[in-house]
Amino acid sequence: MPLIGAFVARYPQILVDINLTDTVVDVAAGQADVAIRFGPLLDSPLTARRLGETGRTIVASPAYLARRGVPRVPEDLHQHDCLNFNFRRLEPVWPFRRDGRDYALTVRGPVEANNGESLTQLALAGVGVTRVGNFSVADAIAKGELVPLLEDFNPGDREPIHAVFVGGASVPARVRVFVDFLVDQLRPRSVARDATEVAPSAETG
């Protein structure tokens, strides 16, 4: 979202219509020009361009931790308000690694949301503990507005990020410049120069 202003300033003639949803929209049927997918891609006729990848970090605000205490081991989260994604395709569990063994812990809390930015804002407001993509919380951690938790138990899982769209010679110019802009802004320069399109590619399910 922070990149949209720069895109609009560069291409003021293009209308950017944003839809944040956990539903997998049918890009091939024209429900969207471009979709941003997190996680592994399934086979599909769509073209995909890799934007990067992200890990996840558990965070809470200093105010929340002062009020509720700091979880020292994953099981302590049972005594905390955990803010989770409400994706229907996901179980309400967070992964952890202890002594080289990976396991999942069921978490519960008073609020769920369908995007990481919302969960980050809730955590900043002291509503609870959340586990979101590093890109969502890096600035807040650097400023001391959020505190990373349970890093000794972080499994280090990573998920790729792709832009998917209908490719080919007839791809609209608005789609081409938007995807090129995302690749340029989100990937390291040395990687962006090597960005390639892949077709057929995939959408997540």
Side-chain angles (χ1 to χ4, degrees):
M1 292 301 295
L3 297 176
I4 297 302
F7 178 81
V8 171
R10 185 180 300 183
Y11 300 100
Q13 74 279 18
I14 297 178
L15 171 65
V16 181
D17 186 348
I18 300 169
N19 182 22
L20 301 177
T21 177
D22 66 332
T23 301
V24 179
V25 299
D26 191 343
V27 176
Q31 293 182 355
D33 286 329
V34 181
I36 308 302
R37 304 295 193 212
F38 287 69
L41 298 176
L42 302 176
D43 289 337
S44 91
L46 296 176
T47 295
R49 291 189 69 179
R50 188 181 177 94
L51 302 178
E53 64 175 19
T54 185
R56 292 184 181 272
T57 301
I58 297 174
V59 296
S61 71
Y64 174 89
L65 297 173
R67 187 174 73 250
R68 298 290 300 275
V70 178
R72 302 299 181 185
V73 296
E75 288 70 23
D76 288 345
L77 292 174
H78 292 311
Q79 309 304 318
H80 285 267
D81 295 328
C82 296
L83 313 173
N84 212 358
F85 288 97
N86 59 8
F87 299 155
R88 291 182 293 275
R89 63 182 180 273
L90 295 180
E91 294 294 328
V93 299
W94 292 353
F96 294 98
R97 179 174 296 154
R98 173 184 279 141
D99 300 327
R101 181 179 67 88
D102 292 334
Y103 69 102
L105 186 73
T106 300
V107 296
R108 293 286 187 270
V111 184
E112 295 179 343
N114 69 354
N115 67 84
E117 294 298 326
S118 296
L119 294 175
T120 299
Q121 290 299 315
L122 290 166
L124 284 166
V127 177
V129 181
T130 194
R131 183 178 189 268
V132 294
N134 294 340
F135 63 89
S136 293
V137 296
D139 288 346
I141 291 174
K143 295 175 182 176
E145 298 170 344
L146 290 174
V147 178
L149 303 170
L150 302 170
E151 282 295 274
D152 288 344
F153 303 92
N154 191 328
D157 52 318
R158 310 285 294 178
E159 60 180 359
I161 308 170
H162 291 87
V164 297
F165 56 99
V166 178
S170 61
V171 60
R174 66 181 184 275
V175 172
R176 177 73 63 184
V177 297
F178 182 69
V179 173
D180 286 347
F181 176 84
L182 292 180
V183 170
D184 180 64
Q185 295 294 315
L186 293 176
R187 300 183 64 188
R189 295 287 177 171
S190 60
V191 178
R193 286 194 295 269
D194 296 330
T196 57
E197 293 184 1
V198 181
S201 183
E203 278 192 88
T204 53

